Amino acid sequence: DQQVKQNSPSLSVQEGRISILNCDYTNSMFDYFLWYKKYPAEGPTFLISISSIKDKNEDGRFTVFLNKSAKHLSLHIVPSQPGDSAVYFCAASAGSGGSQGNLIFGKGTKLSVKP
Amino acid sequence: DGGITQSPKYLFRKEGQNVTLSCEQNLNHDAMYWYRQDPGQGLRLIYYSQIVNDFQKGDIAEGYSVSREKKESFPLTVTSAQKNPTAFYLCASSIVGTGNYEQYFGPGTRLTVT
């Protein structure tokens, strides 16, 4: 049973427009969420994170929104650039649990930004 | 330059052979992790270690083994018991106990078993 779900396998956006990537989770014990970006044949790189005590975190063109009641988070990229084309993974951690620090990953969303 | 190194980038083995993937980090992180990625799948946790000489099974540990004799090193052995070993393997590390759960990833090893 997937605890972290990214229901859109792919997303195509025009350069300069907003990209919105969505993630849903089922485990109410998750208290820390992260987004990673991954290019083919490379390791994921950390983008941005958010603690469950916040509902928004912003870093440059990237903003993550957390809606705890809906168990939903989203990553907004504004403006989107061709170099943003990659697979984006949502990950969650139940940090205070026994497996502290372990991340549960979604299956990823492939973002294509067209010039 | 601090980071995580995985070698080799590509590895080919015959079915029935054990193979060991290396992972080294110089970030002074206590915790290290091994993941497997298959096409269209997320990252699935194989094994993790939060301290030297101790490690725990992840979600898909069957057919794999690890050791953690040094803080910097966390090698993964893919045994002949692993039914579908062909995959992209990722090693990661993190700090423990700070409330920051960010994991840093290596470049990965693509293992092909024929």
mmCIF file of all heavy atoms in Angstrom, chain A residues 64-94:
data_model
loop_
_atom_site.group_PDB
_atom_site.id
_atom_site.type_symbol
_atom_site.label_atom_id
_atom_site.label_comp_id
_atom_site.label_asym_id
_atom_site.label_seq_id
_atom_site.Cartn_x
_atom_site.Cartn_y
_atom_site.Cartn_z
ATOM 1 N N VAL A 64 6.769 25.109 -1.747
ATOM 2 C CA VAL A 64 6.019 23.909 -1.382
ATOM 3 C C VAL A 64 4.893 24.318 -0.435
ATOM 4 O O VAL A 64 5.096 25.114 0.489
ATOM 5 C CB VAL A 64 6.929 22.829 -0.749
ATOM 6 C CG1 VAL A 64 7.674 23.357 0.457
ATOM 7 C CG2 VAL A 64 6.140 21.593 -0.392
ATOM 8 N N PHE A 65 3.708 23.798 -0.721
ATOM 9 C CA PHE A 65 2.520 24.043 0.095
ATOM 10 C C PHE A 65 2.092 22.738 0.741
ATOM 11 O O PHE A 65 2.085 21.687 0.085
ATOM 12 C CB PHE A 65 1.370 24.568 -0.767
ATOM 13 C CG PHE A 65 1.636 25.907 -1.386
ATOM 14 C CD1 PHE A 65 2.205 26.005 -2.653
ATOM 15 C CD2 PHE A 65 1.325 27.077 -0.705
ATOM 16 C CE1 PHE A 65 2.446 27.243 -3.234
ATOM 17 C CE2 PHE A 65 1.566 28.317 -1.274
ATOM 18 C CZ PHE A 65 2.130 28.400 -2.541
ATOM 19 N N LEU A 66 1.727 22.815 2.024
ATOM 20 C CA LEU A 66 1.285 21.623 2.738
ATOM 21 C C LEU A 66 -0.115 21.842 3.290
ATOM 22 O O LEU A 66 -0.358 22.825 3.998
ATOM 23 C CB LEU A 66 2.245 21.292 3.890
ATOM 24 C CG LEU A 66 1.847 20.136 4.804
ATOM 25 C CD1 LEU A 66 1.768 18.821 4.028
ATOM 26 C CD2 LEU A 66 2.820 20.005 5.968
ATOM 27 N N ASN A 67 -1.010 20.930 2.976
ATOM 28 C CA ASN A 67 -2.363 20.947 3.514
ATOM 29 C C ASN A 67 -2.542 19.680 4.345
ATOM 30 O O ASN A 67 -2.831 18.605 3.805
ATOM 31 C CB ASN A 67 -3.387 21.001 2.371
ATOM 32 C CG ASN A 67 -4.819 21.072 2.871
ATOM 33 O OD1 ASN A 67 -5.127 20.645 3.985
ATOM 34 N ND2 ASN A 67 -5.696 21.600 2.055
ATOM 35 N N LYS A 68 -2.314 19.805 5.648
ATOM 36 C CA LYS A 68 -2.323 18.617 6.506
ATOM 37 C C LYS A 68 -3.697 17.970 6.592
ATOM 38 O O LYS A 68 -3.809 16.747 6.658
ATOM 39 C CB LYS A 68 -1.830 18.976 7.912
ATOM 40 C CG LYS A 68 -0.337 19.131 7.988
ATOM 41 C CD LYS A 68 0.157 19.037 9.423
ATOM 42 C CE LYS A 68 -0.494 20.059 10.318
ATOM 43 N NZ LYS A 68 0.005 20.002 11.707
ATOM 44 N N SER A 69 -4.747 18.768 6.622
ATOM 45 C CA SER A 69 -6.087 18.187 6.751
ATOM 46 C C SER A 69 -6.418 17.332 5.537
ATOM 47 O O SER A 69 -7.101 16.320 5.639
ATOM 48 C CB SER A 69 -7.129 19.279 6.944
ATOM 49 O OG SER A 69 -7.140 20.155 5.828
ATOM 50 N N ALA A 70 -5.904 17.730 4.375
ATOM 51 C CA ALA A 70 -6.151 16.963 3.152
ATOM 52 C C ALA A 70 -5.047 15.946 2.888
ATOM 53 O O ALA A 70 -5.137 15.176 1.920
ATOM 54 C CB ALA A 70 -6.270 17.906 1.957
ATOM 55 N N LYS A 71 -4.004 15.947 3.703
ATOM 56 C CA LYS A 71 -2.835 15.099 3.499
ATOM 57 C C LYS A 71 -2.321 15.264 2.073
ATOM 58 O O LYS A 71 -2.147 14.293 1.312
ATOM 59 C CB LYS A 71 -3.152 13.635 3.794
ATOM 60 C CG LYS A 71 -3.459 13.337 5.258
ATOM 61 C CD LYS A 71 -3.494 11.832 5.516
ATOM 62 C CE LYS A 71 -3.703 11.510 6.966
ATOM 63 N NZ LYS A 71 -5.061 11.859 7.434
ATOM 64 N N HIS A 72 -2.064 16.517 1.741
ATOM 65 C CA HIS A 72 -1.684 16.855 0.373
ATOM 66 C C HIS A 72 -0.598 17.921 0.403
ATOM 67 O O HIS A 72 -0.647 18.855 1.202
ATOM 68 C CB HIS A 72 -2.906 17.384 -0.392
ATOM 69 C CG HIS A 72 -2.595 17.852 -1.769
ATOM 70 N ND1 HIS A 72 -2.525 17.000 -2.845
ATOM 71 C CD2 HIS A 72 -2.320 19.090 -2.253
ATOM 72 C CE1 HIS A 72 -2.223 17.680 -3.934
ATOM 73 N NE2 HIS A 72 -2.104 18.957 -3.594
ATOM 74 N N LEU A 73 0.387 17.734 -0.470
ATOM 75 C CA LEU A 73 1.359 18.802 -0.661
ATOM 76 C C LEU A 73 1.595 19.006 -2.153
ATOM 77 O O LEU A 73 1.320 18.117 -2.971
ATOM 78 C CB LEU A 73 2.670 18.555 0.081
ATOM 79 C CG LEU A 73 3.563 17.375 -0.252
ATOM 80 C CD1 LEU A 73 4.989 17.696 0.139
ATOM 81 C CD2 LEU A 73 3.102 16.154 0.505
ATOM 82 N N SER A 74 2.053 20.202 -2.462
ATOM 83 C CA SER A 74 2.321 20.514 -3.860
ATOM 84 C C SER A 74 3.595 21.339 -3.971
ATOM 85 O O SER A 74 3.960 22.080 -3.053
ATOM 86 C CB SER A 74 1.137 21.259 -4.482
ATOM 87 O OG SER A 74 0.897 22.469 -3.809
ATOM 88 N N LEU A 75 4.244 21.181 -5.095
ATOM 89 C CA LEU A 75 5.447 21.942 -5.424
ATOM 90 C C LEU A 75 5.117 22.838 -6.604
ATOM 91 O O LEU A 75 4.662 22.357 -7.645
ATOM 92 C CB LEU A 75 6.593 20.996 -5.801
ATOM 93 C CG LEU A 75 7.877 21.671 -6.306
ATOM 94 C CD1 LEU A 75 8.548 22.452 -5.178
ATOM 95 C CD2 LEU A 75 8.841 20.628 -6.882
ATOM 96 N N HIS A 76 5.346 24.142 -6.412
ATOM 97 C CA HIS A 76 5.118 25.113 -7.472
ATOM 98 C C HIS A 76 6.459 25.618 -7.976
ATOM 99 O O HIS A 76 7.322 26.002 -7.160
ATOM 100 C CB HIS A 76 4.285 26.291 -6.958
ATOM 101 C CG HIS A 76 2.882 25.912 -6.613
ATOM 102 N ND1 HIS A 76 1.826 26.794 -6.739
ATOM 103 C CD2 HIS A 76 2.340 24.761 -6.164
ATOM 104 C CE1 HIS A 76 0.709 26.209 -6.381
ATOM 105 N NE2 HIS A 76 0.981 24.968 -6.021
ATOM 106 N N ILE A 77 6.617 25.633 -9.281
ATOM 107 C CA ILE A 77 7.839 26.164 -9.890
ATOM 108 C C ILE A 77 7.426 27.322 -10.787
ATOM 109 O O ILE A 77 6.670 27.148 -11.755
ATOM 110 C CB ILE A 77 8.561 25.085 -10.719
ATOM 111 C CG1 ILE A 77 8.824 23.828 -9.884
ATOM 112 C CG2 ILE A 77 9.891 25.631 -11.256
ATOM 113 C CD1 ILE A 77 9.399 22.656 -10.678
ATOM 114 N N VAL A 78 7.898 28.512 -10.431
ATOM 115 C CA VAL A 78 7.528 29.704 -11.193
ATOM 116 C C VAL A 78 8.730 30.637 -11.343
ATOM 117 O O VAL A 78 9.310 31.018 -10.319
ATOM 118 C CB VAL A 78 6.393 30.493 -10.487
ATOM 119 C CG1 VAL A 78 5.995 31.701 -11.331
ATOM 120 C CG2 VAL A 78 5.212 29.615 -10.193
ATOM 121 N N PRO A 79 9.097 31.056 -12.549
ATOM 122 C CA PRO A 79 8.626 30.512 -13.820
ATOM 123 C C PRO A 79 9.356 29.218 -14.166
ATOM 124 O O PRO A 79 10.508 29.032 -13.770
ATOM 125 C CB PRO A 79 9.008 31.621 -14.800
ATOM 126 C CG PRO A 79 10.255 32.213 -14.217
ATOM 127 C CD PRO A 79 10.093 32.117 -12.719
ATOM 128 N N SER A 80 8.718 28.368 -14.904
ATOM 129 C CA SER A 80 9.356 27.109 -15.303
ATOM 130 C C SER A 80 10.386 27.367 -16.394
ATOM 131 O O SER A 80 10.194 28.225 -17.274
ATOM 132 C CB SER A 80 8.303 26.135 -15.825
ATOM 133 O OG SER A 80 7.326 25.881 -14.837
ATOM 134 N N GLN A 81 11.468 26.617 -16.324
ATOM 135 C CA GLN A 81 12.558 26.748 -17.296
ATOM 136 C C GLN A 81 12.853 25.379 -17.905
ATOM 137 O O GLN A 81 12.641 24.355 -17.241
ATOM 138 C CB GLN A 81 13.817 27.294 -16.612
ATOM 139 C CG GLN A 81 13.637 28.654 -15.972
ATOM 140 C CD GLN A 81 14.839 29.081 -15.159
ATOM 141 O OE1 GLN A 81 15.781 28.304 -14.965
ATOM 142 N NE2 GLN A 81 14.812 30.322 -14.672
ATOM 143 N N PRO A 82 13.371 25.337 -19.117
ATOM 144 C CA PRO A 82 13.682 24.039 -19.739
ATOM 145 C C PRO A 82 14.590 23.170 -18.877
ATOM 146 O O PRO A 82 14.467 21.941 -18.873
ATOM 147 C CB PRO A 82 14.347 24.446 -21.060
ATOM 148 C CG PRO A 82 13.740 25.766 -21.399
ATOM 149 C CD PRO A 82 13.547 26.449 -20.067
ATOM 150 N N GLY A 83 15.502 23.786 -18.139
ATOM 151 C CA GLY A 83 16.398 23.039 -17.258
ATOM 152 C C GLY A 83 15.691 22.380 -16.084
ATOM 153 O O GLY A 83 16.280 21.537 -15.388
ATOM 154 N N ASP A 84 14.424 22.726 -15.866
ATOM 155 C CA ASP A 84 13.640 22.089 -14.805
ATOM 156 C C ASP A 84 13.114 20.730 -15.248
ATOM 157 O O ASP A 84 12.568 19.984 -14.427
ATOM 158 C CB ASP A 84 12.451 22.965 -14.410
ATOM 159 C CG ASP A 84 12.882 24.286 -13.807
ATOM 160 O OD1 ASP A 84 13.946 24.343 -13.163
ATOM 161 O OD2 ASP A 84 12.140 25.284 -13.992
ATOM 162 N N SER A 85 13.253 20.415 -16.507
ATOM 163 C CA SER A 85 12.772 19.126 -17.010
ATOM 164 C C SER A 85 13.535 17.987 -16.342
ATOM 165 O O SER A 85 14.748 17.865 -16.482
ATOM 166 C CB SER A 85 12.946 19.052 -18.535
ATOM 167 O OG SER A 85 12.171 20.037 -19.177
ATOM 168 N N ALA A 86 12.808 17.181 -15.596
ATOM 169 C CA ALA A 86 13.399 16.105 -14.796
ATOM 170 C C ALA A 86 12.257 15.326 -14.161
ATOM 171 O O ALA A 86 11.083 15.660 -14.345
ATOM 172 C CB ALA A 86 14.308 16.677 -13.709
ATOM 173 N N VAL A 87 12.604 14.300 -13.413
ATOM 174 C CA VAL A 87 11.603 13.594 -12.604
ATOM 175 C C VAL A 87 11.662 14.164 -11.191
ATOM 176 O O VAL A 87 12.751 14.319 -10.617
ATOM 177 C CB VAL A 87 11.864 12.080 -12.580
ATOM 178 C CG1 VAL A 87 10.859 11.391 -11.660
ATOM 179 C CG2 VAL A 87 11.775 11.511 -13.989
ATOM 180 N N TYR A 88 10.502 14.478 -10.653
ATOM 181 C CA TYR A 88 10.408 15.048 -9.311
ATOM 182 C C TYR A 88 9.782 14.019 -8.371
ATOM 183 O O TYR A 88 8.703 13.497 -8.638
ATOM 184 C CB TYR A 88 9.576 16.324 -9.320
ATOM 185 C CG TYR A 88 10.313 17.455 -10.007
ATOM 186 C CD1 TYR A 88 10.369 17.521 -11.398
ATOM 187 C CD2 TYR A 88 10.975 18.433 -9.272
ATOM 188 C CE1 TYR A 88 11.070 18.522 -12.036
ATOM 189 C CE2 TYR A 88 11.675 19.450 -9.902
ATOM 190 C CZ TYR A 88 11.721 19.483 -11.286
ATOM 191 O OH TYR A 88 12.422 20.481 -11.918
ATOM 192 N N PHE A 89 10.485 13.766 -7.265
ATOM 193 C CA PHE A 89 9.998 12.818 -6.265
ATOM 194 C C PHE A 89 9.579 13.559 -5.010
ATOM 195 O O PHE A 89 10.309 14.425 -4.507
ATOM 196 C CB PHE A 89 11.095 11.810 -5.896
ATOM 197 C CG PHE A 89 11.393 10.812 -6.973
ATOM 198 C CD1 PHE A 89 12.498 10.977 -7.797
ATOM 199 C CD2 PHE A 89 10.585 9.708 -7.156
ATOM 200 C CE1 PHE A 89 12.796 10.046 -8.791
ATOM 201 C CE2 PHE A 89 10.862 8.781 -8.162
ATOM 202 C CZ PHE A 89 11.960 8.960 -8.976
ATOM 203 N N CYS A 90 8.442 13.186 -4.510
ATOM 204 C CA CYS A 90 7.969 13.619 -3.211
ATOM 205 C C CYS A 90 8.387 12.558 -2.192
ATOM 206 O O CYS A 90 8.333 11.353 -2.497
ATOM 207 C CB CYS A 90 6.439 13.744 -3.282
ATOM 208 S SG CYS A 90 5.620 14.029 -1.735
ATOM 209 N N ALA A 91 8.830 12.977 -1.010
ATOM 210 C CA ALA A 91 9.236 12.027 0.022
ATOM 211 C C ALA A 91 8.716 12.511 1.371
ATOM 212 O O ALA A 91 8.554 13.712 1.596
ATOM 213 C CB ALA A 91 10.756 11.875 0.059
ATOM 214 N N ALA A 92 8.467 11.568 2.262
ATOM 215 C CA ALA A 92 7.943 11.905 3.575
ATOM 216 C C ALA A 92 8.665 11.110 4.653
ATOM 217 O O ALA A 92 9.138 9.998 4.400
ATOM 218 C CB ALA A 92 6.443 11.620 3.632
ATOM 219 N N SER A 93 8.724 11.704 5.839
ATOM 220 C CA SER A 93 9.375 11.054 6.968
ATOM 221 C C SER A 93 8.508 11.166 8.209
ATOM 222 O O SER A 93 7.921 12.227 8.471
ATOM 223 C CB SER A 93 10.726 11.705 7.237
ATOM 224 O OG SER A 93 11.307 11.199 8.426
ATOM 225 N N ALA A 94 8.419 10.061 8.962
ATOM 226 C CA ALA A 94 7.811 10.090 10.289
ATOM 227 C C ALA A 94 8.967 10.202 11.259
ATOM 228 O O ALA A 94 9.355 9.244 11.899
ATOM 229 C CB ALA A 94 7.003 8.812 10.528
#
